[in-house]
Structure formats: structure tokens, C-alpha cells
């Protein structure tokens, strides 16, 4: 059964959102300031890592690590000076 889970964080003045669609082949989409900047699929409940950039001058590389399961999906944003990362809060739409 497929379900969509949404996550969000404001980081360095930019909006970073992730959607995790669970199921047999989970799909992860990442948006930065409302524009899709990353897309990936994975198998079963394997974590997926997406490398995206914040539109700064120069661009700031960040990583979104999504874990589709088991259980409730989770997303973490890792910045260049944040090796432990920031938990992206779930959003209800």
C-alpha cells in the first residue's frame, strides 16, 4: 500500500521540503524554495541520500537522507557544517 509523507525545514533562509512515497518502490522528491531539485527511488525500506544545492552565492551543498521505513518514514538534512544533521519535521497536507 502506498502512502505519501511530507517533511519540511527552513535552513539558512531557504525552504527545504521532502516527500516520501512508500510502497514496494519508495520514491523521494526534494524541493528547495518550491522547485524540485532531487528525485530518487529505492527498494523496500533502504535509506536514500539526495545531494542538492541551496541557491546561495556560491551554491551551498546539502544532503537529504530519507529513510522510508520500517515504520514511519524519517528525513534528515545534513549541511556542510552540520555532520549530525537536522531532523526535518513531518507536515500534514
Amino acid at each position: 500500500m502506498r502512502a505519501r509523507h511530507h517533511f519540511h525545514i527552513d535552513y539558512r533562509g531557504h525552504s527545504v521540503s521532502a516527500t516520501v512515497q512508500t510502497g514496494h518502490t519508495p520514491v523521494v522528491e526534494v524541493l528547495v524554495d518550491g522547485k524540485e531539485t532531487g528525485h530518487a527511488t529505492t527498494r523496500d525500506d533502504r535509506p536514500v541520500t539526495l545531494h542538492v544545492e541551496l541557491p546561495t552565492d556560491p551554491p551551498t551543498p546539502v544532503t537529504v537522507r530519507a529513510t522510508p521505513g520500517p515504520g514511519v518514514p524519517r528525513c534528515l538534512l545534513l549541511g556542510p557544517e552540520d555532520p549530525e544533521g537536522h531532523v526535518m519535521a513531518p507536515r500534514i497536507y
Side-chain angles (χ1 to χ4, degrees), residues 56-89:
T56 56
D57 189 22
T60 304
V62 295
T63 301
V64 174
R65 185 178 302 147
T67 306
V72 178
R74 298 166 302 286
C75 284
L76 188 67
L77 182 123
L78 303 161
E81 297 95 27
D82 305 314
E84 293 182 19
H86 302 275
V87 175
M88 296 177 69

Side-chain angles (χ1 to χ4, degrees), residues 16-41:
V16 181
S17 299
T19 300
V20 178
Q21 182 171 308
T22 60
H24 181 66
T25 304
V27 177
V28 180
E29 299 172 337
V30 176
L31 285 80
V32 175
D33 295 337
K35 296 178 183 170
E36 186 174 335
T37 56
H39 183 270
T41 60

